[in-house]
Amino acid sequence: MKRFLLASAGLLAITSTAVASPAAPADGRLVEPHLHVTRSGAAQPRVALTFDACMGKADERILSVLVQEKIPATIFVTARWLKHNPQATATLLAHPDLFELENHGLNHIPAVDRPVAVYGIAAAGSPEAVRQEVQGGADAMIADHIPQPHWFRGATAKYSLSAIEQIRSMGYRIAGYSVNGDGGSLFGAAVTEKHFAAARDGDVIIAHINQPTHAAGEGVARGILDLKARGAQFVRLQDVEDTGDDGTTLSMSPS
Ligand SMILES: [Zn+2]
């Protein structure tokens, strides 16, 4: 839990410089890639709602709005979250028309392939550990009868460029975002609702669906309804073309 809260706090400070060892090479910076979906070009914005289920519980305030309003979304699950939330997982799987389930990793550790701390959380630390984090997440999903994931989003949403290349070579696109909806679930309800309201055509919103006791979830539920009232067209990542920074979605050049 402490680890998650640290990760959450980090999302509040997305402009802060990533923690990197002084010995890191010049290309050793960490990146936090953006992701957009192709715009609708229509008056109504096209928006992709993406939710992270890091660990902890399921936020029924958000889940029930999505189900009742028939709003599609992409949910990034960890093996840890799946293990503790069989009922919510069954709800997600019961609505394949609404929910695309993707890979948020095995143990919710940052997908960085050298030993650094990201917001105080020890990263995977090696290419082998990155591989385990990604593959372990997928294995848990498949064991739960979830279709093979095609997108990965790592804990803290920060990566080294070499880890991005490695994860891409495992067959994944990497899911950045363009709107920080809930500040790692630490925003208040009103601020969260405002962030959702700020979404424009082509935006990918990140928020959390695993903190039922946080005020942010209430703002997420309201923000979704506000977007629907605006006529937003909700899309999942698998249904549209996407463009991400830092080589997260484009074809890799041969090296
Ligand atoms: Zn997470």
Side-chain angles (χ1 to χ4, degrees):
M1 183 58 72
K2 189 181 175 198
R3 176 177 279 180
F4 172 71
L5 289 173
L6 286 165
S8 299
L11 278 171
L12 283 170
I14 52 175
T15 54
S16 69
T17 307
V19 177
S21 124
D27 65 350
R29 68 196 166 99
L30 301 188
V31 294
E32 186 159 355
H34 294 102
L35 180 69
H36 288 89
V37 294
T38 306
R39 293 176 187 168
S40 72
Q44 292 83 11
R46 175 184 286 166
V47 175
L49 300 177
T50 69
F51 296 99
D52 291 357
C54 310
M55 52 190 82
K57 306 263 186 227
D59 192 334
E60 292 294 337
R61 295 169 299 183
I62 300 170
L63 191 52
S64 63
V65 164
L66 295 172
V67 170
Q68 282 163 23
E69 302 291 328
K70 298 187 168 49
I71 292 173
T74 306
I75 319 281
F76 286 85
V77 296
T78 65
R80 291 175 68 157
W81 186 88
L82 287 174
K83 193 175 169 189
H84 293 108
N85 293 278
Q87 203 174 340
T89 303
T91 300
L92 295 172
L93 284 172
H95 297 89
D97 52 327
L98 297 181
F99 301 122
E100 172 184 352
L101 300 186
E102 298 292 355
N103 186 355
H104 197 35
L106 173 63
N107 286 318
H108 203 251
I109 53 175
V112 177
D113 52 2
R114 62 175 194 277
V116 295
V118 185
Y119 307 131
I121 310 169
S126 69
E128 175 53 23
V130 168
R131 195 199 64 77
Q132 275 177 22
E133 175 71 2
V134 177
Q135 189 60 50
D139 289 347
M141 293 176 74
I142 288 158
D144 268 3
H145 310 289
I146 297 170
Q148 168 72 43
H150 299 290
W151 286 87
F152 178 79
R153 176 183 283 154
T156 74
K158 284 185 181 288
Y159 312 85
S160 52
L161 293 171
S162 48
I164 286 175
E165 201 172 323
Q166 180 190 359
I167 297 163
R168 296 281 285 127
S169 75
M170 293 173 72
Y172 290 91
R173 290 174 164 224
I174 292 172
Y177 62 91
S178 62
V179 171
N180 185 351
D182 67 350
S185 89
L186 295 179
F187 287 163
V191 172
T192 299
E193 187 177 7
K194 217 164 154 183
H195 277 233
F196 271 67
R200 293 176 296 181
D201 196 17
D203 269 329
V204 175
I205 302 180
I206 185 175
H208 291 77
I209 197 165
N210 65 314
Q211 293 288 0
T213 63
H214 290 194
E218 187 191 324
V220 169
R222 291 209 303 257
I224 294 168
L225 293 172
D226 294 345
L227 283 172
K228 188 180 182 189
R230 263 170 70 197
Q233 177 196 350
F234 295 104
V235 295
R236 303 176 297 185
L237 298 185
Q238 70 184 17
D239 297 330
V240 288
E241 296 277 316
D242 316 82
T243 310
D245 292 349
D246 302 312
T248 49
T249 63
L250 295 175
S251 305
M252 287 180 295
S253 54
S255 54

